[in-house]
Amino acid sequence: MSGGYACLSVDEIRSSIEDRKTRVILAADLFTVSEISNMLHEVGDHICMLKTHVDGIHDFHLDRWMKEVVEPAKDMGVLLFEDRKFADIGYVSKIQMLGHQRIAQWADVVTAHRISGPDIVDGIHEAWRECGRRGSVAVLAQMSSSGNLLDKEYCRAVVDSCREIEGVCGFIGNGSDPSNISELRSLVGRDKMILTPGINLNSREARMGQRYGHPREAIAAGSDAVIVGSGIIRNREPLAAAMKYAEEASV
Ligand code: 6AU
């Protein structure tokens, strides 16, 4: 318990990843519930979490979402990771968790920025508690996009202020540069996770300021799991691509 709420612990999340035998988190940046459901069914055996941006889904409908995405993912043992990047005050983050997409009802992990203060973590957990559920927050310590403002000093302040918070399972670290991951790991220690976007076997696929690194280098530098979107979902053969990323990200 922390701040009066029960959390999904780092150990529980790490053991769920181990059970799945893959360190690939799928960034399912697709536009309809069916596309996401179909992708989950296609590559589900090779991923440990399904990362979503529900606010980007054109036909989002909660009943369909629960039936076609959440229930199958749970049956597979795949954790649901909503990358909402909460950044508001604690109370507003809570109401966003409980808003029309009902993130608190189905997400196991959500992302948040630390910029507004540590109460954002409490707000998010209050929403889970009101739904009778547990989850955990991954806080952005670095970003993969070029020109971002999360510099070394900010990164250190994020880690120092969140390392002891039980409701935080870990940090988002930049996969496009393995030295960023090594530095983050030395700040974080072993007790929290590092989840790593900005991963693609083909760095030329980067667009709109995204930057990419290699999955094997990110894991070797200390990442717990890599977040892969385009490398799998835009591949002509998503299943073969997911298998390849899972193999490259194995230790
Ligand atoms: O592999 P991509 O480039 O197609 O997709 C990358 C995914 C997207 C981004 O929202 C997300 O990773 N992402 C994140 C997070 C928190 O996951 C942080 C970041 O710094 N960069 C980034 O691309 O769904």
Side-chain angles (χ1 to χ4, degrees):
M1 293 279 280
S2 145
Y5 47 75
C7 319
L8 204 54
S9 71
V10 173
D11 285 350
E12 285 174 287
I13 299 172
R14 279 191 170 142
S15 76
S16 164
I17 293 175
E18 266 170 40
D19 290 348
R20 299 291 303 153
K21 299 185 172 54
T22 163
R23 290 168 183 267
V24 173
I25 297 170
L26 179 72
D29 295 338
L30 298 160
F31 307 109
T32 65
V33 174
S34 302
E35 284 174 327
I36 295 176
S37 177
N38 291 342
M39 188 60 69
L40 171 66
H41 283 95
E42 183 168 359
V43 309
D45 284 349
H46 307 283
I47 64 172
C48 57
M49 297 191 210
L50 178 71
K51 190 180 82 69
T52 52
H53 286 291
V54 270
D55 47 4
I57 301 175
H58 298 174
D59 61 350
F60 185 83
H61 185 283
L62 187 66
D63 292 344
R64 281 191 61 207
W65 182 248
M66 297 303 277
K67 197 162 164 289
E68 295 175 37
V69 176
V70 177
E71 285 169 21
K74 279 190 194 308
D75 289 346
M76 292 176 195
V78 168
L79 291 175
L80 289 143
F81 178 0
E82 168 54 26
D83 186 10
R84 177 63 180 72
K85 296 188 179 75
F86 293 100
D88 213 313
I89 58 171
Y91 177 68
V92 170
S93 299
K94 173 183 169 183
I95 65 175
Q96 289 171 324
M97 281 283 283
L98 297 168
H100 70 102
Q101 295 143 344
R102 303 285 195 276
I103 295 169
Q105 272 185 31
W106 50 267
D108 303 302
V109 177
V110 301
T111 46
H113 283 286
R114 169 64 178 78
I115 191 85
S116 59
D119 293 308
I120 193 165
V121 178
D122 287 350
I124 290 169
H125 278 281
E126 257 197 54
W128 270 315
R129 187 173 52 84
E130 283 191 14
C131 293
R133 296 191 68 247
R134 295 182 305 137
S136 196
V137 180
V139 179
L140 282 101
Q142 298 171 340
M143 290 196 76
S144 62
S145 43
S146 58
N148 74 73
L149 300 176
L150 287 70
D151 61 15
K152 282 181 199 243
E153 198 185 333
Y154 178 84
C155 175
R156 178 181 290 275
V158 167
V159 174
D160 285 349
S161 61
C162 294
R163 206 193 284 106
E164 304 299 327
I165 304 178
E166 205 182 337
V168 170
C169 60
F171 301 93
I172 300 295
N174 168 33
S176 73
D177 181 348
S179 72
N180 283 183
I181 299 297
S182 322
E183 282 165 26
L184 183 57
R185 181 51 82 194
S186 62
L187 291 175
V188 169
R190 292 303 318 169
D191 293 348
K192 298 280 189 203
M193 304 178 64
I194 297 177
L195 308 177
T196 306
I199 296 293
N200 196 308
L201 292 167
N202 179 4
S203 58
R204 284 180 314 241
E205 276 186 28
R207 53 183 177 167
M208 299 183 90
Q210 180 64 299
R211 299 173 299 183
Y212 286 132
H214 195 283
R216 190 172 292 282
E217 290 180 0
I219 297 291
S223 172
D224 286 86
V226 292
I227 296 172
V228 184
S230 310
I232 295 174
I233 65 171
R234 315 263 174 245
N235 192 290
R236 263 177 298 174
E237 294 182 41
L239 175 59
M243 291 169 76
K244 175 76 176 153
Y245 278 93
E247 187 195 319
E248 292 291 341
S250 61
V251 270

